[in-house]
Amino acid sequence: MKKMTLALAATAALVAATAQAHGPTRRKISESIEINAPADKVWAVIGDVKNADWMENVTKTEVSGDVPNKFTRTLTLKNGNQIQETSNKYKPDEKLFSYYIEKVDVKDLPANDYSATITVEPAGDAKSKVEWKAAFYRGYMNNDPPPELNDEASEKGVGAWIKASLANLKAKVEKGS
């Protein structure tokens, strides 16, 4: 009986250790917004990769490389930090922009290995639907992340940034600037 109890305890400890050893899992967020403007007008803002001022917290945009082919975009934030993005796909005819983040301070965006696709499609009479799908790992890649960089905090931070950016886009396009 004592051996069985020890064996069960050892098994339980092994299972607990294995669960702890599992690193972060890929998180996914999908947000969309309806904008009271034709898809071409909305795409004119998103597709202008040299100006991302509609994105939350972005004050300056610099692009290097070959647009529409592979290019890099550096977004300067209000605090002076930068996010460096590289395009995966840029398809104006399909109103699709896909990119991944090469460099970001997790204090600005609590995510690692972030990639996203933004699409625009017509949604009825003079309306559009913008969808932003992102996939990423939490801001802290090892086990036992600090609370501000755990899965929930990372999802909350990335989700808030995407929602605010989409709201900014809607305001900008509907205002007509």
Side-chain angles (χ1 to χ4, degrees):
M1 185 72 166
K2 190 173 185 182
K3 285 184 181 182
M4 183 173 243
T5 303
L6 286 174
L8 287 173
T11 301
L14 181 61
V15 169
T18 303
Q20 288 292 334
H22 186 273
T25 55
R26 193 125 171 102
R27 316 310 283 178
K28 294 180 181 178
I29 292 178
S30 180
E31 292 291 340
S32 62
I33 195 166
E34 187 173 276
I35 298 177
N36 295 315
D40 287 340
K41 185 175 180 183
V42 176
W43 178 254
V45 175
I46 294 171
D48 180 7
V49 296
K50 295 179 181 177
N51 183 6
D53 67 353
W54 59 274
M55 293 177 77
E56 180 67 11
N57 204 21
V58 173
T59 61
K60 183 179 173 186
T61 309
E62 298 173 84
V63 175
S64 60
D66 183 21
V67 178
N69 300 312
K70 194 156 186 127
F71 60 89
T72 299
R73 183 162 82 162
T74 302
L75 309 176
T76 301
L77 306 177
K78 291 177 183 174
N79 64 8
N81 290 348
Q82 296 182 325
I83 298 174
Q84 188 176 49
E85 303 173 339
T86 298
S87 68
N88 282 342
K89 294 177 192 162
Y90 179 78
K91 297 183 176 183
D93 293 344
E94 297 176 31
K95 296 176 181 55
L96 179 144
F97 175 43
S98 181
Y99 67 95
Y100 57 93
I101 292 180
E102 297 249 11
K103 179 184 150 205
V104 64
D105 186 325
V106 293
K107 292 179 190 122
D108 296 316
L109 188 66
N112 282 291
D113 196 20
Y114 172 103
S115 61
T117 299
I118 303 172
T119 57
V120 181
E121 58 186 43
D125 293 339
K127 291 186 180 190
S128 303
K129 177 185 174 190
V130 177
E131 187 171 36
W132 188 329
K133 293 181 179 180
F136 56 93
Y137 289 95
R138 67 181 178 221
Y140 187 82
M141 293 296 283
N142 296 320
N143 290 330
D144 302 321
E148 70 276 10
L149 297 175
N150 67 19
D151 288 338
E152 294 77 23
S154 292
E155 273 190 46
K156 184 178 178 183
V158 171
W161 180 64
I162 290 172
K163 285 178 187 175
S165 295
L166 288 173
N168 292 346
L169 174 67
K170 180 178 175 74
K172 178 180 177 114
V173 172
E174 289 181 356
K175 187 168 55 169
S177 61

